[in-house]
Short mmCIF file of all heavy atoms in Angstrom, two decimals:
data_model
loop_
_atom_site.label_atom_id
_atom_site.label_comp_id
_atom_site.label_asym_id
_atom_site.label_seq_id
_atom_site.Cartn_x
_atom_site.Cartn_y
_atom_site.Cartn_z
N GLY A 23 -209.91 -24.73 155.65
CA GLY A 23 -208.72 -25.56 155.51
C GLY A 23 -208.98 -27.04 155.70
O GLY A 23 -210.08 -27.55 155.51
N ARG A 24 -207.97 -27.74 156.10
CA ARG A 24 -207.90 -29.20 156.11
C ARG A 24 -208.39 -29.75 157.45
O ARG A 24 -208.07 -29.22 158.52
CB ARG A 24 -206.45 -29.61 155.88
CG ARG A 24 -206.19 -31.08 155.69
CD ARG A 24 -204.70 -31.32 155.51
NE ARG A 24 -204.16 -30.53 154.41
CZ ARG A 24 -204.13 -30.93 153.14
NH1 ARG A 24 -204.59 -32.11 152.81
NH2 ARG A 24 -203.62 -30.15 152.22
N GLY A 25 -209.15 -30.86 157.39
CA GLY A 25 -209.59 -31.53 158.60
C GLY A 25 -208.51 -32.43 159.18
O GLY A 25 -207.40 -32.53 158.65
N HIS A 26 -208.86 -33.11 160.28
CA HIS A 26 -207.89 -33.98 160.94
C HIS A 26 -208.63 -35.12 161.63
O HIS A 26 -209.83 -35.02 161.91
CB HIS A 26 -207.06 -33.20 161.96
CG HIS A 26 -207.90 -32.53 163.03
ND1 HIS A 26 -208.36 -33.19 164.13
CD2 HIS A 26 -208.39 -31.27 163.12
CE1 HIS A 26 -209.08 -32.38 164.89
NE2 HIS A 26 -209.12 -31.20 164.29
N PRO A 27 -207.95 -36.21 161.94
CA PRO A 27 -208.59 -37.32 162.65
C PRO A 27 -208.97 -36.87 164.06
O PRO A 27 -208.44 -35.88 164.60
CB PRO A 27 -207.51 -38.39 162.69
CG PRO A 27 -206.46 -37.97 161.72
CD PRO A 27 -206.54 -36.49 161.63
N PRO A 28 -209.90 -37.61 164.70
CA PRO A 28 -210.28 -37.25 166.07
C PRO A 28 -209.13 -37.47 167.04
O PRO A 28 -208.30 -38.37 166.87
CB PRO A 28 -211.44 -38.20 166.37
CG PRO A 28 -211.23 -39.36 165.45
CD PRO A 28 -210.63 -38.79 164.21
N GLU A 29 -209.10 -36.65 168.07
CA GLU A 29 -208.14 -36.85 169.15
C GLU A 29 -208.55 -38.07 169.97
O GLU A 29 -209.73 -38.45 169.98
CB GLU A 29 -208.08 -35.60 170.04
CG GLU A 29 -207.67 -34.33 169.32
CD GLU A 29 -206.27 -34.40 168.74
OE1 GLU A 29 -205.43 -35.15 169.32
OE2 GLU A 29 -206.00 -33.72 167.73
N PRO A 30 -207.61 -38.69 170.67
CA PRO A 30 -207.95 -39.90 171.43
C PRO A 30 -209.10 -39.71 172.42
O PRO A 30 -209.88 -40.63 172.66
CB PRO A 30 -206.64 -40.23 172.16
CG PRO A 30 -205.57 -39.64 171.30
CD PRO A 30 -206.17 -38.39 170.72
N ASP A 31 -209.23 -38.52 172.98
CA ASP A 31 -210.29 -38.26 173.96
C ASP A 31 -211.44 -37.45 173.37
O ASP A 31 -212.28 -36.92 174.10
CB ASP A 31 -209.72 -37.52 175.18
CG ASP A 31 -209.03 -36.20 174.80
OD1 ASP A 31 -208.84 -35.96 173.59
OD2 ASP A 31 -208.69 -35.44 175.71
N GLY A 32 -211.52 -37.35 172.05
CA GLY A 32 -212.55 -36.55 171.41
C GLY A 32 -213.92 -37.21 171.51
O GLY A 32 -214.04 -38.44 171.45
N SER A 33 -214.98 -36.38 171.64
CA SER A 33 -216.33 -36.92 171.76
C SER A 33 -216.94 -37.24 170.40
O SER A 33 -217.89 -38.01 170.28
CB SER A 33 -217.23 -35.94 172.51
OG SER A 33 -217.29 -34.69 171.83
N ASN A 34 -216.42 -36.62 169.34
CA ASN A 34 -216.86 -36.94 167.99
C ASN A 34 -215.72 -36.65 167.02
O ASN A 34 -214.74 -36.00 167.37
CB ASN A 34 -218.14 -36.18 167.61
CG ASN A 34 -217.99 -34.69 167.82
OD1 ASN A 34 -217.17 -34.04 167.19
ND2 ASN A 34 -218.81 -34.13 168.72
N ALA A 35 -215.89 -37.12 165.78
CA ALA A 35 -214.81 -37.00 164.80
C ALA A 35 -214.76 -35.61 164.17
O ALA A 35 -213.70 -35.17 163.72
CB ALA A 35 -214.98 -38.06 163.72
N VAL A 36 -215.87 -34.90 164.08
CA VAL A 36 -216.02 -33.55 163.54
C VAL A 36 -215.46 -33.41 162.13
O VAL A 36 -216.22 -33.43 161.17
CB VAL A 36 -215.41 -32.48 164.49
CG1 VAL A 36 -215.67 -31.09 163.92
CG2 VAL A 36 -216.02 -32.57 165.87
N SER A 37 -214.15 -33.23 161.98
CA SER A 37 -213.62 -32.93 160.64
C SER A 37 -213.10 -34.16 159.91
O SER A 37 -212.39 -34.05 158.93
CB SER A 37 -212.51 -31.87 160.74
OG SER A 37 -211.42 -32.34 161.50
N MET A 38 -213.48 -35.34 160.40
CA MET A 38 -213.22 -36.59 159.68
C MET A 38 -214.50 -37.40 159.68
O MET A 38 -215.14 -37.56 160.72
CB MET A 38 -212.11 -37.40 160.34
CG MET A 38 -211.72 -38.65 159.54
SD MET A 38 -210.66 -39.80 160.44
CE MET A 38 -211.91 -40.68 161.40
N LEU A 39 -214.90 -37.90 158.52
CA LEU A 39 -216.08 -38.75 158.46
C LEU A 39 -215.68 -40.13 157.96
O LEU A 39 -214.56 -40.34 157.48
CB LEU A 39 -217.17 -38.13 157.59
CG LEU A 39 -216.82 -37.77 156.14
CD1 LEU A 39 -216.95 -38.97 155.21
CD2 LEU A 39 -217.71 -36.64 155.65
N VAL A 40 -216.61 -41.06 158.09
CA VAL A 40 -216.34 -42.44 157.68
C VAL A 40 -217.36 -42.85 156.64
O VAL A 40 -218.58 -42.86 156.89
CB VAL A 40 -216.40 -43.41 158.88
CG1 VAL A 40 -216.17 -44.85 158.41
CG2 VAL A 40 -215.36 -43.03 159.93
N ARG A 41 -216.88 -43.19 155.44
CA ARG A 41 -217.73 -43.71 154.38
C ARG A 41 -217.96 -45.20 154.62
O ARG A 41 -217.07 -45.92 155.10
CB ARG A 41 -217.06 -43.53 153.02
CG ARG A 41 -216.76 -42.09 152.66
CD ARG A 41 -217.99 -41.36 152.23
NE ARG A 41 -217.68 -40.07 151.63
CZ ARG A 41 -218.49 -39.04 151.65
NH1 ARG A 41 -219.68 -39.14 152.23
NH2 ARG A 41 -218.15 -37.90 151.09
N LEU A 42 -219.16 -45.66 154.26
CA LEU A 42 -219.53 -47.04 154.44
C LEU A 42 -220.04 -47.62 153.12
O LEU A 42 -220.63 -46.91 152.31
CB LEU A 42 -220.66 -47.18 155.47
CG LEU A 42 -220.46 -46.56 156.85
CD1 LEU A 42 -221.76 -46.63 157.64
CD2 LEU A 42 -219.34 -47.26 157.60
N SER A 43 -219.85 -48.90 152.92
CA SER A 43 -220.45 -49.61 151.79
C SER A 43 -220.24 -51.09 152.01
O SER A 43 -219.51 -51.51 152.92
CB SER A 43 -219.85 -49.17 150.46
OG SER A 43 -218.46 -49.48 150.40
N ILE A 44 -220.90 -51.89 151.17
CA ILE A 44 -220.66 -53.32 151.14
C ILE A 44 -220.22 -53.69 149.73
O ILE A 44 -220.40 -52.89 148.81
CB ILE A 44 -221.89 -54.13 151.59
CG1 ILE A 44 -223.08 -53.89 150.65
CG2 ILE A 44 -222.26 -53.80 153.03
CD1 ILE A 44 -224.29 -54.76 150.96
N PRO A 45 -219.63 -54.86 149.55
CA PRO A 45 -219.14 -55.21 148.21
C PRO A 45 -220.24 -55.14 147.15
O PRO A 45 -221.42 -55.39 147.43
CB PRO A 45 -218.62 -56.64 148.39
CG PRO A 45 -218.25 -56.72 149.83
CD PRO A 45 -219.27 -55.88 150.54
N ASP A 46 -219.84 -54.81 145.94
CA ASP A 46 -220.79 -54.66 144.83
C ASP A 46 -221.53 -55.97 144.58
O ASP A 46 -220.93 -57.05 144.60
CB ASP A 46 -220.06 -54.24 143.55
CG ASP A 46 -219.40 -52.87 143.68
OD1 ASP A 46 -219.64 -52.21 144.70
OD2 ASP A 46 -218.67 -52.48 142.76
N GLN A 47 -222.82 -55.84 144.33
CA GLN A 47 -223.65 -56.98 143.96
C GLN A 47 -224.44 -56.62 142.71
O GLN A 47 -224.93 -55.50 142.59
CB GLN A 47 -224.62 -57.34 145.10
CG GLN A 47 -223.94 -57.72 146.41
CD GLN A 47 -223.24 -59.06 146.34
OE1 GLN A 47 -223.56 -59.88 145.47
NE2 GLN A 47 -222.28 -59.28 147.23
N PRO A 48 -224.60 -57.54 141.76
CA PRO A 48 -225.28 -57.21 140.51
C PRO A 48 -226.68 -56.66 140.69
O PRO A 48 -227.12 -55.78 139.95
CB PRO A 48 -225.33 -58.57 139.77
CG PRO A 48 -224.21 -59.36 140.36
CD PRO A 48 -224.11 -58.93 141.79
N TYR A 49 -227.43 -57.14 141.71
CA TYR A 49 -228.80 -56.68 141.88
C TYR A 49 -228.88 -55.27 142.49
O TYR A 49 -229.97 -54.74 142.68
CB TYR A 49 -229.62 -57.67 142.72
CG TYR A 49 -228.93 -58.19 143.97
CD1 TYR A 49 -228.94 -57.47 145.15
CD2 TYR A 49 -228.27 -59.41 143.93
CE1 TYR A 49 -228.31 -57.94 146.28
CE2 TYR A 49 -227.64 -59.91 145.07
CZ TYR A 49 -227.67 -59.17 146.24
OH TYR A 49 -227.04 -59.66 147.35
N TYR A 50 -227.75 -54.67 142.82
CA TYR A 50 -227.72 -53.28 143.26
C TYR A 50 -227.20 -52.38 142.14
O TYR A 50 -226.63 -51.31 142.40
CB TYR A 50 -226.81 -53.12 144.48
CG TYR A 50 -227.42 -53.60 145.77
CD1 TYR A 50 -226.89 -54.70 146.43
CD2 TYR A 50 -228.52 -52.95 146.33
CE1 TYR A 50 -227.43 -55.15 147.63
CE2 TYR A 50 -229.07 -53.39 147.53
CZ TYR A 50 -228.52 -54.50 148.17
OH TYR A 50 -229.06 -54.94 149.36
N ALA A 51 -227.38 -52.77 140.89
CA ALA A 51 -226.79 -52.04 139.77
C ALA A 51 -227.20 -50.57 139.77
O ALA A 51 -226.40 -49.68 139.45
CB ALA A 51 -227.19 -52.69 138.45
N ARG A 52 -228.48 -50.27 140.09
CA ARG A 52 -228.94 -48.88 140.07
C ARG A 52 -228.22 -48.04 141.13
O ARG A 52 -227.81 -46.91 140.87
CB ARG A 52 -230.45 -48.83 140.29
CG ARG A 52 -231.07 -47.42 140.23
CD ARG A 52 -230.79 -46.74 138.91
NE ARG A 52 -231.42 -45.43 138.85
CZ ARG A 52 -231.09 -44.49 138.00
NH1 ARG A 52 -230.12 -44.69 137.13
NH2 ARG A 52 -231.71 -43.31 138.00
N GLU A 53 -228.06 -48.60 142.35
CA GLU A 53 -227.35 -47.87 143.40
C GLU A 53 -225.90 -47.62 143.01
O GLU A 53 -225.35 -46.55 143.25
CB GLU A 53 -227.42 -48.66 144.72
CG GLU A 53 -228.73 -48.54 145.46
CD GLU A 53 -229.79 -49.49 144.92
OE1 GLU A 53 -229.53 -50.15 143.89
OE2 GLU A 53 -230.88 -49.57 145.53
N ILE A 54 -225.28 -48.65 142.40
CA ILE A 54 -223.88 -48.49 141.99
C ILE A 54 -223.76 -47.39 140.94
O ILE A 54 -222.83 -46.59 140.95
CB ILE A 54 -223.32 -49.82 141.47
CG1 ILE A 54 -223.31 -50.87 142.59
CG2 ILE A 54 -221.92 -49.63 140.92
CD1 ILE A 54 -223.01 -52.27 142.12
N GLU A 55 -224.72 -47.33 140.01
CA GLU A 55 -224.67 -46.31 138.97
C GLU A 55 -224.80 -44.91 139.56
O GLU A 55 -224.07 -44.00 139.19
CB GLU A 55 -225.79 -46.55 137.96
CG GLU A 55 -225.81 -45.51 136.83
CD GLU A 55 -226.98 -45.69 135.89
OE1 GLU A 55 -228.06 -46.11 136.35
OE2 GLU A 55 -226.82 -45.39 134.70
N ARG A 56 -225.74 -44.72 140.51
CA ARG A 56 -226.01 -43.38 141.04
C ARG A 56 -225.07 -42.99 142.17
O ARG A 56 -224.66 -41.84 142.28
CB ARG A 56 -227.45 -43.30 141.56
CG ARG A 56 -228.53 -43.36 140.50
CD ARG A 56 -229.91 -43.11 141.11
NE ARG A 56 -230.21 -44.06 142.17
CZ ARG A 56 -230.19 -43.79 143.48
NH1 ARG A 56 -229.84 -42.59 143.90
NH2 ARG A 56 -230.48 -44.72 144.37
N LEU A 57 -224.75 -43.94 143.04
CA LEU A 57 -223.97 -43.64 144.24
C LEU A 57 -222.52 -44.06 144.13
O LEU A 57 -221.68 -43.62 144.92
CB LEU A 57 -224.60 -44.33 145.46
CG LEU A 57 -226.06 -44.00 145.76
CD1 LEU A 57 -226.56 -44.86 146.92
CD2 LEU A 57 -226.21 -42.51 146.09
#
């Protein structure tokens, strides 16, 4: 089923993850194409 955000006292997020990235740059064209 469906995940949920971590509880205020939770030790980890478990069923919620955090995606990361930085703004697109032309010299990262290959990464942008694949990822």
